[in-house]
Amino acid sequence: MSPAEAAALTAAEHERILREIESTDTNCIGPTLRSVYDGHEHGLFMDKLDARIRNHDREIEKMCNHHFQGFVDSITELLKVRGEAQKLKSQVIDTNRHLQDDGKDVSQTLTLQCRVQQRNIIFTVMLKFLCCCLCLPVLEMYSRLQEQMKAKRYYPALRTLEQLERTCLPKAGQYRFCSIMSENIPKLRTQIRDTAMTQLRDFLESIRKHSDKIGETAIKQVSLKIFPVNLNPDFTVSLKTPSLIFSLGFQANIKHRTCFVSLQVPGAPDLVDFSPVYRCLHIYTVLGLRDVFENYYRKQRRKQARLVLQPHSNMHETLEGYRRYFNQIVGFFVVEDHVLHTTQGLVNRAYVEELWELALSKIIAALRTHSSYCDNPDLVLDLKNLIVLFADTLQGYGFPVSQLFDMLLEMREQYGEILLKRWNITFRQVLDQDNYSPIPVSTEQEYRHYTSQFPLQDPELEKLPFPKKLPFSEFVPKVYCQLKEFIYACLKYSEDLHLSSTEVDDMIRKSTNLLLTRTLSHCLQYAIKKKNVGLAELVQVIINTTHLEQSCHYLEEFISNITNVPPHTVNATKLYGTSTFKDARHSAEAEIYTSLNAKIDQFLQLADYDWLVSAQGDNAEASDYLIDLIAFLRSTFSVFTNLPGKVAQTACMSACKHISTSLMQLLLDPEVRQISMGALHQLYIDIKECEEEEKDGGKMGRSLVSACPQLLDLFLQWDWSTYLADYGKPTCKYLRVNPHTALALLEKMRESNRKNNMFAQFRKTDRDRQKLMDTIIKQLRNLIAQHHA
């Protein structure tokens, strides 16, 4: 059957019932009403009944209007006959009195019967009237219930159900329709409860989706108060423009710069409709299931809290990932705070604090894990600012956030390590790009440009005319500026952490010390020890580190100025820049000595002595390699004029000592098994060439004469008696000649004489010399044995 046909049949049935109600006696109205409530269209029937009543009312009104004039005329006629009626009344009274008197006995019996009949009729009417009075409120109440259910006004519907069940239905009696209503009441309650729970689930899903927006608006409310320069909460200052910090006054604590902006930002009640929570709470309270509802709500919110607190796997890649994470958490707790203050006991402070403790531990663990992957200081700085906003927002709602600020102090160590890595690259680039030459300046403007970057205090240099040269190379002002940039970067992280000026100053100084003693020190060592570094570059490094060392107290003043902490405060951390640059300079000096000795070794490798050469005349010349070596040393020492006197002197002494030691090693080389007197004479001539260098003002002669020449003098002058007699005395002529060395060289000479003079045994002179050599060798061995014992 189609819906149209069903509707037509229902309308016809309702029309029949209405006709029966109109034409049937009141005693038979019960079955008719029962047929209405047995069906499922009693609402539609009530609408038709109301329409039929209105039709009858209109008909009655028309009838009254039609007979109104006749009624008036009748009243007028009645007034005319009133007088006649009075006369008739008096006659009737007289007649009645007579009849009463005559039929007194008969009337008593009839009156009794009439009174009984009237009493029965009145009782029946009163009984029916009472039934209608009891049933009509039930019907009206049920009709109101249906309207409330249709309008989804479930809380008033529950109140109506309660009134219907407790008051109206017990009074109505045991009618069929009342029992049907009583059976439907639990079903209606269940329907209302399930509908309310469905709305609550929709609400929970809604706030799960909108928590990000709720948190964003809550954080924005805080950011509007603490960013007076730029109302955009995403506003950040890049490390590339650290001077902007001071132009904006960021060196002060952000809490002292709070301004109240008149802009209005919507809150949680403006974004989310909380009526499902209140409605469901009231409904469950009426149903006596408040504890069930509270447990369900808290359980579901705990589940949502775990989902909110679970960060995305790639959260650390962008700041937006952290921002969404924080927005969701703030939105969650803003909702809970609103529910806490707008409901009576649905959630309590202990429950919210328990959730916050759980959230705080998970937040800190997640931030520690994800921030550890970050290697970008700009992102870490932005994350720090975001965490501060996050903490300040939740603190405004009464949540303790001290652990977040403790974690920010831990992150500061990581931030410092990231900065050190970045500055390590920067310093290496500066050192690699430097030409290690004094900076030429041709104008006053150029001179002021460099002196503004580096605090150069040299009155003598300022007096010189242009063009002139600064003593240091480009990397000095660049390194100094990078040190200041690093301090700016450290300062930016220290802001807003609720630290005192002394604590900020201490943190900056400790970070700067790490930069100096670890990063810059390693970079300088790298620049000093890398390949292809010449002596001129090493000399310039020494000059540069000297100037940087002298600038350390300016860095101390710079830090004091930006932190407002006097440099001589008790327990203030001191910068270790002086020791850093001293160590670098000492390394450069040692590298100079090493490089110089390596160059000397290259020349000595060219030495090609003929150890078996015969004796030469007085016109013998110094070896070519030694002449070239002296020329190299002369030009090298001229470069050392800009070095401190001790450095230049030590370099010269080291070079000469190395030459002396190398020449001694040539003599004592195990591969050289035979040495002639002519070879010793050639070596002596080379030493004399160094003495000539001394006459020209050099320093090599003094160093060389004090070592190797004593051994050569001993052999060339064959003054063994003096050596053996004076050995061990402080005034010994050959004080620097070791008996082991003399013995080894003497044995090589004896071997040379044996093989080169085949007929030496036939010449007495040679035999005597050989015996003398054997005797000296024996005495040297005894001398060695005595001193060894």
Side-chain angles (χ1 to χ4, degrees), residues 210-491:
H210 290 85
S211 61
D212 182 74
K213 185 64 177 178
I214 296 171
E216 180 182 355
T217 56
I219 292 177
K220 190 174 182 180
Q221 286 176 337
V222 177
S223 66
L224 289 176
K225 296 179 182 179
I226 63 176
F227 284 97
V229 178
N230 189 323
L231 297 181
N232 182 2
D234 297 334
F235 172 71
T236 54
V237 182
S238 173
L239 291 178
K240 297 179 180 178
T241 57
S243 59
L244 186 60
I245 301 174
F246 297 92
S247 63
L248 297 179
F250 276 122
Q251 66 271 28
N253 191 295
I254 199 167
K255 291 300 178 184
H256 303 299
R257 295 185 286 104
T258 302
C259 78
F260 297 93
V261 184
S262 61
L263 296 179
Q264 297 296 326
V265 179
D270 302 319
L271 298 174
V272 177
D273 180 17
F274 285 87
S275 59
V277 179
Y278 310 142
R279 187 182 304 117
C280 198
L281 177 62
H282 292 158
I283 289 172
Y284 271 73
T285 301
V286 172
L287 294 175
L289 300 173
R290 182 185 177 96
D291 293 340
V292 174
F293 175 72
E294 288 180 1
N295 293 333
Y296 176 81
Y297 177 84
R298 295 183 183 184
K299 181 179 179 181
Q300 295 301 315
R301 289 297 280 166
R302 283 192 179 95
K303 290 181 179 179
Q304 290 188 348
R306 293 188 182 94
L307 293 176
V308 166
L309 295 171
Q310 184 66 32
H312 299 291
S313 59
N314 58 345
M315 182 178 73
H316 59 277
E317 295 178 358
T318 61
L319 185 66
E320 190 60 31
Y322 290 105
R323 183 177 287 111
R324 287 197 301 270
Y325 181 63
F326 289 142
N327 287 345
Q328 290 179 358
I329 296 173
V330 171
F332 178 88
F333 283 100
V334 167
V335 169
E336 289 305 289
D337 181 80
H338 184 78
V339 172
L340 173 66
H341 290 90
T342 55
T343 60
Q344 297 179 352
L346 177 57
V347 296
N348 52 30
R349 176 58 65 180
Y351 160 78
V352 176
E353 289 178 354
E354 177 188 355
L355 274 182
W356 173 242
E357 289 297 327
L358 170 68
L360 194 60
S361 61
K362 290 186 176 296
I363 291 168
I364 292 176
L367 290 177
R368 282 174 176 165
T369 300
H370 285 267
S371 63
S372 63
Y373 297 124
C374 182
D375 57 358
N376 184 351
D378 290 325
L379 180 58
V380 175
L381 188 62
D382 292 341
L383 176 59
K384 186 271 300 186
N385 293 331
L386 194 60
I387 294 174
V388 169
L389 270 178
F390 171 73
D392 289 342
T393 301
L394 288 174
Q395 190 174 31
Y397 286 91
F399 295 101
V401 294
S402 58
Q403 294 185 39
L404 287 174
F405 284 97
D406 293 339
M407 187 206 63
L408 285 174
L409 294 179
E410 296 177 10
M411 283 180 56
R412 195 203 66 80
E413 302 295 333
Q414 177 191 352
Y415 176 73
E417 292 296 327
I418 296 173
L419 288 183
L420 292 177
K421 292 179 181 178
R422 170 175 283 193
W423 258 260
N424 180 66
I425 297 173
T426 302
F427 284 144
R428 291 211 174 193
Q429 290 176 348
V430 169
L431 295 173
D432 288 340
Q433 295 171 3
D434 194 61
N435 58 5
Y436 294 95
S437 299
I439 302 174
V441 290
S442 55
T443 61
E444 180 70 22
Q445 183 178 2
E446 291 182 5
Y447 183 79
R448 296 305 171 194
H449 168 71
Y450 285 107
T451 54
S452 65
Q453 292 182 345
F454 181 78
L456 177 63
Q457 302 294 332
D458 192 344
E460 298 296 330
L461 181 62
E462 290 186 1
K463 295 177 182 179
L464 296 177
F466 291 99
K468 53 188 176 184
K469 290 185 178 181
L470 300 179
F472 45 77
S473 65
E474 288 278 356
F475 94 67
V476 171
K478 288 182 178 180
V479 167
Y480 187 80
C481 289
Q482 287 299 324
L483 291 173
K484 294 170 66 176
E485 295 283 338
F486 180 85
I487 294 171
Y488 283 131
C490 293
L491 177 66

Side-chain angles (χ1 to χ4, degrees), residues 108-127:
Q108 287 179 352
T109 303
L110 294 175
T111 301
L112 182 61
Q113 293 177 354
C114 289
R115 286 180 177 177
V116 171
Q117 185 179 3
Q118 288 178 352
R119 188 180 295 113
N120 291 333
I121 293 172
I122 292 172
F123 178 77
T124 302
V125 171
M126 291 299 295
L127 185 62

Side-chain angles (χ1 to χ4, degrees), residues 731-743:
T731 58
C732 179
K733 180 179 179 181
Y734 304 101
L735 183 64
R736 296 181 180 271
V737 178
N738 189 292
H740 294 83
T741 304
L743 176 61

